[in-house]
């Protein structure tokens, strides 16, 4: 059996078609090329440069096994593979089928067994990514699985062994205390999705449903109450009070079965103040830390409820919401062009956690009881598919911070382009004044005129058709239109001279264009300072 360890989460175990994580924090300047069809250098458009504040990351899937008195035969290959052997079929049943063979799942990020308590589980999962909230990145951790598989124990825990929620709150405030140059404002919201209704558990009248609206690609609840928290104690007390309003009921599989999904969200606004001797402005970033405790899927026959009872209707609604979530996960693997987020309120609220802007930890809770073999396989199958979902993680900044960052990037690009422009001309014409270049051009033309003097060609006399020479026109040719070599340069008479003259003209045009580009860059740099 595997166990918890302090090894960080590693994402190498991915399906072959899953794109690898992409981290790009380097700025690339535009490449400068010489156009063969033009007389000047041009700046070619750079290759597609990814946003330095964004990355592509697959959902991290962690499988946690709940202990039971009767267990299936399971083999854990640390840290990310699990093989489950089905229960033995009675001899009276039909011969064994392919479903009776052991099934191996090997693309998880981590698999832990019953020897891992909540503290160890937190250290190897959420603790590894919680610091990213202070960098402006959204983080979501959710518990998924069959009813009675230990989701609420993983997320909430109990007083002697708190779960991820309580430990995450304490760790968050500890990280902020370690940064004296950072001030933070944290607000709390707690939502419950009961059937297809969304309730605010922080409100005095939590039974009144609230509305969801779509804004800029995200789903936002309207009129939800936000509670400002300033300490870990205040945050834990507010969460405990809100979750106490959650709808629960007793079934044959669980004494306090959750009948709704709960989303606890912390909005974290951090402002980093520069040093006293620095001229840089403060930077403000915004992040959301969400804890999602999903209700478990269940079968009516196993829970001992009936279809016409309230508990039975709740079970049907829970299964419908989880079915919509499984369709979203399946769509990313089969038809990513259309993701059915709008099939339920649950998938609308979790839109950013699946394929959106969030670092998502997907905790898959399973039980090894032989009677739950089919549910365990279903949970592992969808968890394996969830590991192929890729999120687009972006650092969330306020508009002022974003503008300052873009100005800084523009300044870096302008310096790199100016450095490249200095290397364009082999003669370094950039450092030559226009007056000096004109004088040099005139001197060069004079030397070429003296060296290219040649004796005038003798013209043969014009002859009439009767082979008699033509008489002179009576007056000598006028010298009014004759060109004075001292006043005007002589045009080149050989192809080589013409080529040299064109080269000089090209150099002059190149200088003019470089001067214009440098003036533009200096202007941009001045505004970016």
């Amino acid at each position: 059996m595997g166990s918890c360890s302090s090894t960080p989460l590693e994402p190498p175990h991915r399906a072959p078609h899953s794109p690898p994580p992409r981290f790009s924090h380097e700025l690339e300047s535009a490449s400068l090329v010489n156009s063969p069809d033009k007389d000047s250098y041009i700046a070619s458009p750079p290759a597609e440069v990814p946003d330095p504040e964004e990355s592509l990351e697959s959902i991290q899937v962690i499988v946690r096994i709940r202990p039971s008195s009767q267990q299936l035969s399971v083999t854990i290959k640390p840290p990310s593979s699990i093989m489950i052997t089905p229960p033995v079929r009675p001899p009276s049943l039909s011969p064994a089928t392919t479903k009776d063979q052991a099934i191996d799942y090997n693309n998880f990020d981590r698999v832990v067994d019953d020897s891992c308590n909540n503290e160890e589980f937190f250290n190897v999962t959420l603790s590894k990514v919680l610091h990213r909230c202070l960098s402006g990145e959204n983080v979501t951790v959710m518990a998924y699985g069959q009813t009675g598989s230990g989701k609420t124990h993983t997320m909430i825990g109990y007083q002697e062994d708190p779960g991820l929620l309580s430990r995450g709150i304490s760790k968050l405030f500890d990280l902020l205390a370690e940064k004296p140059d950072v001030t933070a404002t944290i607000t709390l919201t707690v939502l419950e999705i009961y059937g297809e209704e969304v309730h605010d558990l922080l409100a005095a009248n939590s039974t009144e449903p609230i509305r969801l609206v779509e804004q800029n690609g995200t789903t936002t609840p309207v009129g939800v109450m936000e509670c400002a928290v300033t300490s870990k104690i205040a945050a834990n007390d507010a969460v405990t009070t809100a979750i106490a309003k959650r709808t629960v009921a007793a079934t044959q599989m669980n004494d306090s079965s959750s009948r709704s999904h709960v989303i606890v969200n912390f909005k974290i606004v951090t402002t980093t103040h520069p040093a006293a001797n620095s001229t840089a402005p403060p930077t403000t970033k915004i992040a959301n830390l969400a804890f999602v405790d999903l209700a478990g899927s269940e079968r009516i026959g196993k829970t001992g409820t009936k279809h016409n009872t309230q508990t039975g209707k709740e079970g049907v609604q829970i299964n419908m919401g989880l079915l919509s979530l499984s369709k979203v996960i399946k769509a990313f693997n089969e038809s990513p062009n259309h993701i059915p987020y709008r099939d339920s309120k649950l998938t609308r609220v979790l839109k950013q956690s699946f394929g959106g802007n969030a670092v998502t930890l997907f905790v898959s809770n399973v039980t090894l009881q032989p009677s739950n073999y089919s549910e365990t396989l279903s949970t592992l199958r969808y968890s394996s598919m969830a590991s192929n979902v890729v999120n687009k993680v972006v650092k969330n900044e306020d508009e002022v911070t974003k503008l300052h960052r873009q100005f800084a990037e523009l300044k870096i690009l302008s310096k790199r382009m100016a450095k490249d422009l200095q290397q364009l001309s082999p003669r370094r014409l950039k450092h030559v004044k226009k007056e000096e270049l004109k004088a040099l051009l005139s001197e060069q033309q004079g030397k070429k005129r003296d060296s290219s003097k040649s004796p005038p060609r003798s013209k043969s006399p014009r002859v009439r058709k009767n082979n008699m020479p033509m008489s002179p026109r009576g007056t000598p040719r006028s010298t009014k239109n004759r060109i004075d070599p001292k006043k005007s340069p002589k045009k080149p008479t050989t192809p080589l001279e013409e080529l040299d003259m064109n080269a000089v003209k090209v150099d002059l045009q190149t200088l003019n264009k470089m001067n214009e580009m440098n003036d533009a860059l200096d202007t941009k740099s001045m505004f970016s300072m």
Side-chain angles (χ1 to χ4, degrees):
M1 302 283 286
S3 60
C4 275
S5 63
S6 59
T7 308
L9 294 179
E10 300 176 355
H13 307 282
R14 288 283 180 254
H17 64 275
S18 176
R22 173 171 61 85
F23 302 94
S24 178
H25 301 279
E26 293 292 332
L27 288 174
E28 298 182 5
S29 61
S31 58
L32 297 171
V33 298
N34 186 12
S35 174
D37 300 329
K38 297 183 179 181
D39 296 335
S40 61
Y41 287 88
I42 59 173
S44 65
E48 183 179 356
V49 181
D51 189 340
E53 300 298 322
E54 113 185 4
S55 62
L56 296 179
E57 300 184 28
S58 299
I59 289 180
Q60 300 181 25
V61 179
I62 307 99
V63 177
R64 191 179 190 187
I65 301 173
R66 178 177 181 174
S68 60
S69 56
Q70 297 179 353
Q71 295 195 159
L72 297 166
S73 175
V74 61
T75 302
I76 298 179
K77 305 172 185 177
S80 58
S81 179
I82 179 173
M83 178 179 289
I84 295 182
T85 302
V88 179
R89 296 171 62 90
S92 59
L93 297 181
S94 59
T97 64
T98 55
K99 294 183 179 180
D100 297 321
Q101 300 176 0
I103 300 178
D104 186 9
Y105 295 94
N106 57 6
N107 64 333
F108 301 124
D109 291 273
R110 184 174 295 278
V111 179
V112 298
D113 61 8
D114 55 353
S115 65
C116 181
N117 58 29
N118 279 343
E119 181 180 4
E120 294 173 335
F121 188 72
F122 170 77
N123 291 334
V124 298
T125 54
L126 183 57
S127 180
K128 301 295 182 181
V129 298
L130 194 59
H131 66 279
R132 300 179 68 170
C133 291
L134 306 185
S135 301
E137 295 178 347
N138 300 329
V139 175
T140 300
V141 53
M142 69 177 61
Y144 174 84
Q146 176 193 5
T147 183
S149 59
K151 299 182 303 302
T152 302
H153 171 70
T154 296
M155 193 64 63
I156 308 299
Y158 47 91
Q159 187 173 3
E160 293 77 12
D161 189 18
L164 295 178
L165 177 54
S166 179
R167 296 181 186 276
I169 293 173
S170 299
K171 180 71 172 180
L172 175 63
F173 281 93
D174 290 341
L175 291 175
L176 289 172
E178 297 173 359
K179 296 181 178 295
D181 59 335
V182 175
T183 58
T185 301
I186 302 177
T187 55
L188 167 68
T189 58
V190 184
L191 299 180
E192 177 190 44
I193 301 178
Y194 179 76
E196 277 300 293
E197 292 183 349
V198 183
H199 302 278
D200 182 5
L201 296 185
L202 286 178
N205 185 13
S206 58
T207 59
E208 185 71 21
I210 60 176
R211 234 173 10 100
L212 299 178
V213 296
E214 299 289 336
Q215 292 181 351
N216 300 324
T218 61
T219 303
T220 305
V222 177
V224 66
M225 180 178 178
E226 295 184 350
C227 176
V229 292
T230 57
S231 66
K232 62 179 71 175
I233 297 176
N236 276 304
D237 290 344
V239 170
T240 302
T241 303
I243 291 182
K245 301 179 182 179
R246 183 181 189 179
T247 305
V248 296
T251 66
Q252 291 184 1
M253 298 189 67
N254 199 339
D255 293 336
S256 58
S257 175
S258 301
R259 317 309 295 166
S260 63
H261 315 289
V262 171
I263 298 98
V264 179
N265 186 78
F266 291 91
K267 182 179 180 181
I268 308 165
V269 181
T270 56
T271 302
T272 303
H273 302 278
N277 57 353
S278 175
T279 59
T283 58
T284 302
K285 297 184 178 181
I286 306 169
N288 288 299
L289 173 61
F291 297 87
V292 183
D293 184 15
L294 299 173
S297 60
E298 56 186 34
R299 291 189 177 181
I300 298 294
K302 291 185 178 181
T303 58
T305 59
K306 297 182 180 180
H307 288 282
N308 57 353
T309 63
Q310 181 66 23
T311 306
K313 294 178 181 178
E314 292 170 349
V316 173
Q317 293 173 342
I318 290 171
N319 290 339
M320 290 179 62
L322 295 176
L323 178 61
S324 300
L325 180 59
S326 64
K327 288 181 179 179
V328 168
I329 296 174
K330 190 175 181 179
F332 276 101
N333 290 263
E334 297 180 357
S335 56
N337 293 330
H338 172 68
I339 309 299
Y341 290 116
R342 300 187 63 85
D343 285 1
S344 71
K345 296 288 181 64
L346 177 63
T347 51
R348 289 180 63 188
V349 172
L350 299 180
K351 182 177 181 180
Q352 290 298 315
S353 301
F354 288 90
N357 177 21
V359 179
T360 302
L361 301 183
F362 190 88
V363 182
S364 177
N365 296 267
V366 297
T367 175
L368 297 182
Q369 290 182 354
S371 59
N372 297 328
Y373 174 67
S374 59
E375 288 87 348
T376 298
L377 289 186
S378 177
T379 300
L380 292 177
R381 180 171 65 254
Y382 281 108
S383 301
S384 177
M385 297 172 66
S387 65
N388 297 328
V389 179
V390 178
N391 291 351
K392 182 179 180 181
V393 184
V394 180
K395 291 186 178 181
N396 306 298
E397 305 168 326
D398 69 339
E399 292 300 325
V400 176
T401 301
K402 186 175 182 180
L403 286 175
H404 280 295
R405 177 177 62 82
Q406 291 175 346
F407 284 150
E409 293 172 1
L410 181 61
K411 188 175 182 180
I412 294 174
L413 286 173
S414 64
K415 289 181 179 179
R416 292 185 178 180
M417 291 184 67
K419 184 178 180 180
D420 291 340
L421 286 172
Q422 292 179 3
Q423 302 174 357
L424 285 179
S425 176
R427 301 179 185 178
R428 296 189 177 275
L429 295 177
K430 177 177 179 295
H431 303 286
V432 181
K433 295 182 179 180
K434 294 183 179 180
E435 293 78 5
E436 296 177 354
L437 182 62
K438 291 179 180 180
L440 181 64
L441 180 62
S442 300
E443 182 181 355
Q444 186 177 3
Q445 290 175 346
K447 291 181 179 179
K448 290 178 180 178
R449 183 177 60 249
D450 296 337
S451 61
S452 61
K453 285 184 178 180
S454 58
R457 293 180 297 177
S458 59
K459 295 184 180 180
S460 58
R462 290 183 294 176
V463 181
R464 290 184 179 179
K465 293 182 180 180
N466 55 5
N467 295 328
M468 293 295 292
M470 294 180 62
S471 60
R473 296 186 177 181
T475 57
R477 182 174 296 177
S478 174
T479 59
K480 284 185 179 181
N481 298 329
R482 188 173 298 176
I483 299 176
D484 189 356
K486 295 182 180 181
K487 296 182 179 180
S488 176
K490 183 180 178 181
K491 293 185 179 181
T493 57
T494 64
L496 181 60
E497 294 175 6
E498 186 174 359
L499 182 62
D500 292 340
M501 292 292 291
N502 290 336
V504 174
K505 293 179 181 179
V506 169
D507 288 343
L508 181 58
Q509 294 175 1
T510 303
L511 176 63
N512 293 334
K513 286 190 175 292
M514 286 192 298
N515 288 332
E516 293 175 359
M517 294 177 68
N518 285 332
D519 292 341
L521 290 174
D522 292 340
T523 304
K524 291 182 180 179
S525 300
M526 178 180 65
F527 282 104
S528 63
M529 296 176 60

